[in-house]
Amino acid sequence: MRETTVARNYAEALFELGERHGQREAFASAVDELAGLLDQEPRLRAFLESPKVETEDKKRVLRRALEDRVPPPFLNFLMVVLDKRRQRLLREIAREYHALLDERLGRLHAQVTLAHEPDERFEQEIAADLSKILGRQVIPHVQVNPQILGGIVVRYGDRVLDGSLRRRLVSLRRRLVEAELPKSR
């Protein structure tokens, strides 16, 4: 099985566990905290991923580090992940968990490109307008690219909505060139 598929299976099990205990959002926070620790502490990640360190030692360290910070069922899940030697997948499990949560809550992440940095109010307007257009709660991830000149480019899933000024100018230029070409007989 590919690692992404395995991570997705673990994330689905974690999601079901969170639903059963009514703690989907608490699990999301816990998985974020764990992924953050693994990203910020390369030594912890190396410790957990090392085949030279006994599983019981890894469990003891994780219990001590997380027992007062995450729900007990989440901590039990982590112990199973360690038992199955899947700790390398923890960050991927976190990503997959969030994808499942977003799917269940009807949230859609969209990459939004603008020519200039937006203020907070404008970003909220973008989110509201896109949510209305797409019929789902849209979470925009804004990036700035002055080359689009103006307007907006939105990417979500495998779709692109290009409302950039640059695209409009290129389209207008193409139409003008086509209109000016003499018709040959």
Side-chain angles (χ1 to χ4, degrees), residues 110-113 130 134 152-156 159-163:
Q111 186 67 45
V112 175
T113 305
L130 287 173
L134 299 174
I152 186 170
V153 177
V154 179
R155 288 179 173 83
Y156 63 97
R159 302 191 75 165
V160 177
L161 305 174
D162 191 346

Side-chain angles (χ1 to χ4, degrees), residues 7 21 31-32 40 45 47 53 55 60 71 84 87 89 96-97 114 122 127-128 131 141 148 150 154 170 172 175:
H21 290 276
V31 84
D32 284 344
Q40 295 166 5
R45 188 173 62 243
F47 170 79
V53 178
T55 301
R60 193 174 325 105
K84 301 292 184 182
Q87 56 270 24
L89 300 177
E96 293 293 333
Y97 183 87
L114 301 169
F122 186 54
S131 295
H141 300 277
I148 70 168
V154 179
V170 167
L172 178 61
R175 286 192 310 237

Side-chain angles (χ1 to χ4, degrees), residues 3 16 61 65 67 69 81 88 126 138 141 145 152 170 173 179 181:
E3 287 188 351
E16 287 177 27
V61 167
E67 70 185 340
R69 298 162 74 175
V81 170
R88 284 185 322 69
I126 291 170
V138 174
H141 300 277
N145 181 352
I152 186 170
V170 167
R173 180 174 182 253
L181 292 175

Side-chain angles (χ1 to χ4, degrees), residues 159-171:
R159 302 191 75 165
V160 177
L161 305 174
D162 191 346
S164 67
L165 183 56
R166 179 184 180 104
R167 185 198 52 81
R168 291 182 203 163
L169 289 172
V170 167
S171 177

